[in-house]
Amino acid sequence: MVKRIQSIRGMHDILPETEIHWSWLEAQIRMLVESYGYRRIRLPIVEKTELFARSIGAVTDIVEKEMYTFEDRNGDSLTLRPEGTAGCVRSGIEHGFLHNQLVRLWYSGPMFRHERPQKGRYRQFHQVGVETFGMTGPDIDAELILMSARLWKALGIKNLRLEINSLGSQEARERYRKQLQDYLYRHADRLDEDSRRRLKTNPLRVLDSKDAGTREVLKEAPQLLAALDAESREHFEGVCGILDMAGIDYTINPRLVRGLDYYSRTVFEWISNELGAQGTVCAGGRYDSLVEQMGGRPTPACGFAMGMERLLALLESQALLPEIPPPDVYVLSQGTAERRHALHIAESIRQSRPDLRILVHCGEGGLKAQMKRADRSGAEVALIIGVDELASDYVTVRRLRGESMQKQVPRSELLLELARHRPSPENFSAPGKAGEAGVK
Ligand code: ATP
Ligand code: MG
């Protein structure tokens, strides 16, 4: 037996019956974000390793242990992108579309992180993200949140909870980092091992530890919000004020810090209780110092990313995924000349009615077996082309849903007959000659 090759752990095929939901969701998101003026950008999946090391931060989980990094044939260190922001910033600096401009972008595509695969956590996963550049005020932070809230509404998703926090300015955060570190050092013996390690390199990350002992210690820890600089406080109040006015519920979670180093001021997450431990479907925030840190001119920035797998899981659990549309017409035929004829008739219908989904039976099978398939396909009508039909130039039309009906229709009246079962969509103008009713 030849050994079969399997897909890589944590990287999944998206088969057609599921893919249809992906395309649908992407289309919904696209419509919404483009209605807010966001423009799509497509970026490479592979970047120089240094890009992520410098932007995400050397002592984050992603850079320390989750990146797919390899040497290419020239000996350059490359990495499969673990997220989309770094690439956007690189591209913006490279093409000069950030400085002194107001930019709204969105992207969609696969990301790669070497994490322990489990429900809602994969090694290849997919994000739709948005990034904005050049806007300092709380208005744009709030727009991002309003836009995501509108997306949940458009999709019908219920029970998502919004948590927000402010990390303050770079300096305030630095100050707070010291305070927190001092406090945690004093209680280091009660922290879990991971937190003890992070305590030295990235103490803010201890704040979102799930360990019960560590959480106990954190109850008395100094608060990030209390350490905010006055400008960041005002900015945060601005964001909250807009959310209040829009009637969007949120909780301020002073321990929300996010896993990437580049955030400053506003951070937020949309969380579901229906997805188990991997409940965050959308997360983002402001990253005002990243562009400069990557060699660009100082440019304020703000964005978020949604996990497609988690969003789809949530839509499924709330029964919000659309049904797969069946074909409208199933074309049956038997015999070589009849099959040729069937394909030709289907093509001429398509010429006038590109809105119809027409499935022509190809391959083996007698008419009876074909009729079974036609029925199972869910099609509205079957067109049958046999010896007699070929000889006298008509088509047998059989209705497969509702009251049964079968009749012989001259080819010149076929489009009219089909329109009875499946009217053309409104404002639909068929290509070809106006008023041409028959099938040529
Ligand atoms: P988590 O805390 O769940 O690890 P994160 O903070 O690492 O998430 P971000 O980098 O902010 O996540 O990515 C934004 C979104 O992308 C997440 O909220 C989630 O929906 C999704 N996401 C992140 N990592 C994965 C993964 N490994 N598998 C599936 N989805 C993911
Ligand atoms: Mg993570």
Side-chain angles (χ1 to χ4, degrees), residues 113 115 120-122 125 127 258 260 280-283 305 307 310:
R113 297 183 194 175
E115 304 196 67
R121 196 175 288 291
Y122 310 98
F125 62 101
Q127 287 184 338
R258 313 278 312 108
L260 301 83
T280 304
V281 296
C282 172
R310 293 185 195 176

